[in-house]
Amino acid sequence: MAVKTIPPTDALCITPTAGIDYLSSRVLPEPDVFIHTSSGARIPAHTSILASVSPVLENIIDQPRKHRSCERIIQILGVPCDAVIAFLGFLYCSRCADEQMEKYGIHLLALSHVYLVPQLKQRCIKVLAERLTIENVVDLLQLARLCDAPDLYIKCMKLLTSHFKSVEATEGWKFLQKHDPWLELDILRFMDEDESRKKKSKKQREELRLYAELSEAMECLEHICTEGCTDVGPYGVELQKDRRPCSKFATCHGLQLLIKHFATCNKKMNGGCLRCKRMWQLFRLHSCICQQTHSCKVPLCREMQMKMQQEKRKDDPRWKLLARKVASARVMSTLSLPKRKRDDEIRINMNNYAIKSFKLK
């Protein structure tokens, strides 16, 4: 096979003002090593520069030779000659043209991984991730696994999961099914876990929304029992003359209707009234999270707490868990408020006084 020698200036774009500092002060010496590529080309290079950038090339260069007079040769095979030129150019200049990265990004990622050049590897990963498509996602997924590129691997997995039907029709997927069943299994497992994560996340969001609504209901209940509102309030407090809906809480009007029903219903709990049962549960939940036993204005709060103490029984673990979740949601809601408004809410909560009955309009 004829061997083609590529001049160092053409192959590596080396100039006296190259990116490496020590190259700017002197002209490069004569090349002392040749890089052989799969196409049979010989690219002259310098062992000092190669060894300073790549520890793998340094180990190859330091290996003893049988005859000191023999020409030093390093073989970089399996990739196009131009990809090797781009790789060596980066070793010399710490930069790579966008056209080279666009055309040989996959080959450069493999070379940077094999020869331990992390700067080039990170750039290749970034560029390949930006150019990820349905057609090349399977190929890049396999490459990311072989080259230990977890960021690229996860991005490929996510794209594959979200567009699985389209990817399934590509040649890359068909090749994967025939030649790499273990990776196919990993992909299917990832998709199953991703679906489970989505369901779990959705459930958590629904639970958080419920806890936030219950937390608002607790605040609204204290607001009604302390300040009074349009239809319900404590004795001694003049109810609002403005009949427009309460502007503080979205649940205020509904909770007032529930309180009015609870105060006038003849069925109550024993009769199986669902609305009364719901109101009773709100009172019980409040008593579980209330920290102001002697100054709380919410009806039945002190009675429920004293009853639990007298009977010396442990409350239902589910109620305790619910109370903790609602209290946590309330704290998070308070912390999300502006500082001045948060201080006002804390002051209001500390200035509650006892009351045992409602005034209904």
Side-chain angles (χ1 to χ4, degrees), residues 40 42 57 62 69 96 130 150 154 260 263 268 281 289 296 340-342 350:
R42 285 160 47 92
L57 289 174
D62 289 341
S69 60
C96 188
E130 292 173 351
I154 293 298
K260 291 177 70 174
K268 299 297 183 184
Q281 289 172 337
I289 65 176
C296 181
R340 184 174 179 181
K341 188 174 181 180
R342 184 166 66 243
M350 294 178 64

Side-chain angles (χ1 to χ4, degrees), residues 60-102:
I60 295 174
I61 291 169
D62 289 341
Q63 289 178 359
R65 290 179 291 168
K66 293 182 179 179
H67 304 286
R68 300 299 296 178
S69 60
C70 292
E71 185 178 69
R72 192 187 296 270
I73 295 173
I74 298 176
Q75 292 185 337
I76 300 182
L77 309 176
V79 295
C81 178
D82 289 341
V84 177
I85 293 174
F87 174 67
L88 294 174
F90 186 89
L91 298 185
Y92 274 79
C93 305
S94 297
R95 60 177 179 265
C96 188
D98 292 339
E99 297 79 10
Q100 293 174 320
M101 189 63 68
E102 175 76 26

Side-chain angles (χ1 to χ4, degrees), residues 171-181 184:
E171 292 298 324
W173 179 260
K174 295 175 183 177
F175 179 86
L176 175 69
Q177 286 183 306
K178 292 180 180 179
H179 299 90
D180 199 344
E184 180 187 6

